[in-house]
């Protein structure tokens, strides 16, 4: 079945460092791909998405490119801030359904 | 515009009891999905409903059930609670047409603790 694998955390960075969180997926067909962020004590917020190969999703300085050849959707940010500290989830959706399949999440801690 | 709302925020139940969780979708959204998020893991899909019908079901036992009302709000019911049902229960709503069809917007969740 479909699945998502994320790099294990926690990831600890200093402010203004470059961030990469790896995400790879297994799916039949052509899924849509998402990154969600979860701040402490809150629900999930959609950060960015891409719906077809080579699409780049971007928001708030974060970006990720849908790479069909490597089945990857890595999250990047050029300069992280303390306020980016949260748990990041990669997810996929196959077809027109409400079913998202999530990775296990990666905790990011940014230190001043 | 109000986002997805869920009630209650927190709940403590005893093994064997049942629980009802409630969700109100974003205005205009007709689809509601439920997810279970165990501590330290990603959310797991439980159900999707729209037009008051079940449209998808995850790998959860029959103790879990849900329904959707004419105003598109939804309830998740869990019977015969087990310790392993302790989790954050997330509701997500989406439209079913247009450019953002099936783009899930999540509520803050209900934290269920089973003792």
């Amino acid at each position: 079945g479909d699945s998502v694998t994320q790099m294990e955390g926690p990831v600890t960075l200093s402010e203004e460092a470059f961030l990469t969180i790896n995400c790879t997926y297994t799916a039949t067909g052509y899924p849509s791909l998402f990154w969600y962020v979860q701040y402490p004590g809150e629900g999930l917020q959609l950060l960015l998405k891409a719906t077809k190969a080579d699409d780049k999703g971007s928001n708030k300085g974060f970006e990720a490119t849908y790479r069909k050849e490597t089945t990857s959707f890595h999250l990047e940010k050029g300069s992280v801030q303390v306020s980016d500290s949260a748990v990041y989830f990669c997810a996929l959706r196959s077809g027109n359904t409400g079913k998202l399949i999530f990775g296990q999440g990666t905790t990011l801690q940014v230190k001043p | 515009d109000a986002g997805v709302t869920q009630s209650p925020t927190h709940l403590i139940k005893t093994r064997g009891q049942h629980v009802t969780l409630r969700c109100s979708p974003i205005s205009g959204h007709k689809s509601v999905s439920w997810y279970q998020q165990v501590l330290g893991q990603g959310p797991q899909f439980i159900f999707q409903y729209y037009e008051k019908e079940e449209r998808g079901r995850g790998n959860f036992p029959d103790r879990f059930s849900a329904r959707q009302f004419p105003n598109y709000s939804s309830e998740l019911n869990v019977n015969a609670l087990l310790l392993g049902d302790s989790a954050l229960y997330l509701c997500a709503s989406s439209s079913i047409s247009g450019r953002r069809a099936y783009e899930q917007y999540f509520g803050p969740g209900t934290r269920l603790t089973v003792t």
Side-chain angles (χ1 to χ4, degrees), chain B residues 52-109:
Chain B
K52 297 180 289 181
E53 291 189 16
E54 182 183 305
R55 305 290 181 166
R57 185 185 182 110
N59 188 24
F60 281 81
D62 292 343
R63 298 185 297 107
F64 289 77
S65 63
R67 55 179 176 167
Q68 186 177 35
F69 299 98
N71 66 353
Y72 304 109
S73 66
S74 177
E75 285 182 352
L76 175 69
N77 295 283
V78 187
N79 293 324
L81 285 166
L82 304 174
L83 295 178
D85 295 331
S86 296
L88 181 68
Y89 287 85
L90 295 164
C91 173
S93 75
S94 68
S95 63
I96 58 173
S97 62
R99 193 170 64 89
R100 296 186 184 276
Y102 302 102
E103 192 171 292
Q104 304 289 307
Y105 292 86
F106 284 82

Side-chain angles (χ1 to χ4, degrees), chain B residues 7-25:
Chain B
S7 62
T9 306
H10 296 88
L11 204 50
I12 299 175
K13 291 286 190 178
T14 304
R15 277 176 296 176
Q17 288 187 317
H18 72 273
V19 68
T20 298
L21 311 180
R22 295 177 176 83
C23 171
S24 292

Side-chain angles (χ1 to χ4, degrees), chain A residues 36 38 43-44 46 49 89 93 96-100 102-104, chain B residues 33 35 37 41-43 45 48 88 90 102-104 106-108:
Chain A
Y36 281 84
Q38 188 173 36
L44 278 74
L46 177 62
K49 69 175 183 179
F89 292 95
R93 188 188 75 226
N96 291 331
T97 75
K99 180 179 180 179
L100 287 167
F102 286 88
Q104 71 271 33
Chain B
S33 298
Y35 292 80
Q37 186 181 14
Q41 296 182 20
F45 173 77
Q48 182 197 7
L88 181 68
L90 295 164
Y102 302 102
E103 192 171 292
Q104 304 289 307
F106 284 82

Side-chain angles (χ1 to χ4, degrees), chain A residues 19-35:
Chain A
L19 168 71
T20 300
I21 300 178
N22 291 337
C23 171
T24 57
Y25 68 91
T26 301
T28 54
Y30 304 97
S32 295
L33 301 175
F34 304 85
W35 277 99

